Amino acid sequence: MIIETFSEKETYELGRRLAENAEPGQIFSLIGDLGTGKTVFTKGMAAGLGITEPVSSPTFTIVQVYEEGRMPFYHFDVYRIGDIEEMDEIGYEDYFYGDGICLVEWANLIEELMPESTVTIRIEKDLEKGFDYRRITIDNPDAY
């Protein structure tokens, strides 16, 4: 499924709608270059779960846990993972197979750990279509 957005608000709203329909145990992979809107999309997902606290990328902590919404939201940023064993050290399986939803930025770096049922979201820019244009591809849409 391909969705085009033309503003940060539209990208945010797509994330929000996706999270409103998410169910416990779902895992979302979020892939995109720096500056493509991954954090905007993530903030939308948090809003869709009823989370009101500020959301930022957990680049230096690997995982940020938000528990105030209708279910826990586990936001991973694995960009700085040096070795796959670091994921074991933080107990990723507790999150992946827990009672919340997981969103994993840069999941392509830990592909071997991602379950087959993962919903993959790719965000791409195309400056010829405008500065705020994003092409968002959702693979495995039947999983949500």
Side-chain angles (χ1 to χ4, degrees):
M1 171 189 311
I2 296 173
I3 298 149
E4 296 179 306
T5 64
F6 296 88
S7 68
E8 281 190 14
K9 183 178 182 194
E10 287 180 7
T11 300
Y12 177 96
E13 286 300 315
L14 177 60
R16 185 187 58 75
R17 286 192 313 270
L18 195 63
E20 284 177 344
N21 295 313
E23 297 190 14
Q26 283 192 293
I27 300 174
F28 298 88
S29 163
L30 186 56
I31 300 168
D33 290 335
L34 293 170
T36 55
K38 293 185 304 293
T39 300
V40 169
F41 186 88
T42 301
K43 288 178 179 181
M45 286 197 77
L49 292 171
I51 295 166
T52 58
E53 68 183 277
V55 172
S56 60
S57 189
T59 300
F60 295 101
T61 58
I62 301 175
V63 64
Q64 181 69 45
V65 177
Y66 301 93
E67 295 184 344
E68 73 170 289
R70 67 179 175 91
M71 73 179 103
F73 181 44
Y74 309 121
H75 178 203
F76 288 81
D77 183 331
V78 299
Y79 184 75
R80 297 196 187 285
I81 289 285
D83 188 308
I84 206 80
E85 290 174 4
E86 288 180 57
M87 291 298 289
D88 287 327
E89 291 171 12
I90 63 165
Y92 81 93
E93 288 180 331
D94 292 338
Y95 300 107
F96 278 24
Y97 304 105
D99 56 357
I101 68 166
C102 291
L103 178 69
V104 184
E105 291 188 42
W106 302 99
N108 51 309
L109 301 176
I110 60 164
E111 262 179 350
E112 59 269 32
L113 298 180
M114 301 304 294
E116 193 173 306
S117 62
T118 298
V119 176
T120 301
I121 302 159
R122 294 181 205 298
I123 303 178
E124 301 168 287
K125 288 183 182 185
D126 183 344
L127 293 177
E128 290 182 12
K129 293 188 177 187
F131 182 76
D132 291 324
Y133 171 84
R134 299 296 183 265
R135 175 186 167 115
I136 301 170
T137 306
I138 302 175
D139 296 331
N140 200 6
D142 295 336
Y144 71 91

